[in-house]
Amino acid sequence: MSGTNTGVPSVLAHELPHPVPAGEFAACPVGDVFRRVGDRWSMLLVILLGGRPYRYNELHRAIEGISQRMLTRTLRGLETDGLVRREVFPTVPPSVEYSLTPLGRTLLPPLSVLADWAVQHEAEINEARSRHPGARERGR
Amino acid sequence: MSGTNTGVPSVLAHELPHPVPAGEFAACPVGDVFRRVGDRWSMLLVILLGGRPYRYNELHRAIEGISQRMLTRTLRGLETDGLVRREVFPTVPPSVEYSLTPLGRTLLPPLSVLADWAVQHEAEINEARSRHPGARERGR
DNA sequence: CTGCATCCCTATTGATACTG
DNA sequence: CAGTATCAATAGGGATGCAG
């Protein structure tokens, strides 16, 4: 793993000196977090569950656009990382409740800051994009 | 100014009331930002360029692990979104310098907050992961 | 109700080779 | 030096059907 960060406040507060060892960053927890939250549904689920616990189909209906497959996979991923808790109630029919763990809840404020940035600078980004006609991926 | 909480539209500050229209979030700027920064190299480049301007091959060597293709594509994407500036010096041989735009610089603090979270909770995440043996998705 | 299995399509990423 | 072009491999994501 990357070096031992013993309570280092902010890895970005001070600028990175030199050639980033790549392994010191790409493999470091920061990249990990961005990937976990950067996929299509994780962030949305964390935010949703930040409000209150949800049942499986409740989430499925709430998001409306996510497939069962991805809902399950994303929830499992979040659960694996200790951000979401899955609780099964042996009722008939069975019901499963998903909620944020304490760790998951601590992720809300940082997420909020970035979300805040996005909202505040949305216009600038769109403006910049419209200025670059063909620059956008020529995929498809 | 764009300090932390300016009583602004922090989309997360207040909980989402009901069934998220999906389009209200998946298509909203927040999702956009997370995807841009959530890919494999964007964040690293922004952070790197946050320190000082870099030349193309300088970045290539600094990251060591990124392919020319991805370096170029990622830089183009960031440029399209107005986060990075590309400046060509008609020297011989030619040199190109990449740097953060003012907009790009405003992204640093929010990034820092999330990076900070990642560092602080790295242990908890790893612990949670090791507790879930086969939970991790296994393709094919 | 909750969710796994399967098939399939597309987007992303990389390795490699080549050019202005 | 600073890229572009091409091809191959993989991961993300969705539709559908079946099972506990």
Side-chain angles (χ1 to χ4, degrees), chain A residues 9 20 22 62 81 112 129 137, chain B residues 10 20 62-63 73 81 112 116 129:
Chain A
V20 174
D81 283 0
S112 176
R129 280 183 184 168
E137 299 296 313
Chain B
S10 180
V20 175
I63 298 183
R73 285 177 70 101
D81 282 2
S112 176
D116 201 38
R129 281 184 184 168

Side-chain angles (χ1 to χ4, degrees), chain A residues 115-131, chain B residues 28-30 32-33 80-83 103 106:
Chain A
D116 203 37
W117 182 91
V119 171
Q120 287 180 23
H121 298 279
E122 176 186 13
E124 292 174 75
I125 291 182
N126 286 330
E127 196 189 336
R129 280 183 184 168
S130 56
R131 254 200 303 277
Chain B
C28 104
V30 182
D32 245 40
V33 169
T80 295
D81 282 2
L83 299 174
L103 176 60
T106 66

Side-chain angles (χ1 to χ4, degrees), chain A residues 5-66:
Chain A
N5 299 305
T6 56
V8 171
S10 172
V11 294
L12 295 175
H14 56 72
E15 42 235 280
L16 306 178
H18 315 93
V20 174
E24 188 172 313
F25 228 105
C28 102
V30 183
D32 246 41
V33 169
F34 275 80
R35 300 257 210 93
R36 150 99 25 252
V37 175
D39 70 16
R40 191 162 182 182
W41 306 107
S42 292
M43 169 191 60
L44 179 54
L45 281 175
V46 169
I47 290 172
L48 221 48
L49 294 175
R52 64 173 176 84
Y54 277 79
R55 301 240 319 268
Y56 182 84
N57 270 349
E58 205 175 4
L59 284 172
H60 195 202
R61 279 188 299 270
I63 298 184
E64 191 81 35
I66 191 174

Side-chain angles (χ1 to χ4, degrees), chain B residues 39-97:
Chain B
D39 70 16
R40 189 160 185 183
W41 306 108
S42 292
M43 169 191 61
L44 179 54
L45 282 175
V46 168
I47 290 171
L48 220 48
L49 294 175
R52 65 173 176 85
Y54 278 79
R55 303 235 320 266
Y56 182 85
N57 269 348
E58 205 175 3
L59 284 171
H60 195 200
R61 279 189 299 271
I63 298 183
E64 192 82 35
I66 191 174
S67 62
Q68 287 186 322
R69 173 187 160 85
M70 288 318 296
L71 177 55
T72 300
R73 285 177 70 101
T74 305
L75 284 169
R76 289 281 185 281
L78 293 170
E79 189 192 357
T80 295
D81 282 2
L83 299 174
V84 163
R85 181 182 176 209
R86 176 176 179 270
E87 203 171 356
V88 182
F89 297 97
T91 59
V92 180
S95 74
V96 180
E97 189 175 277

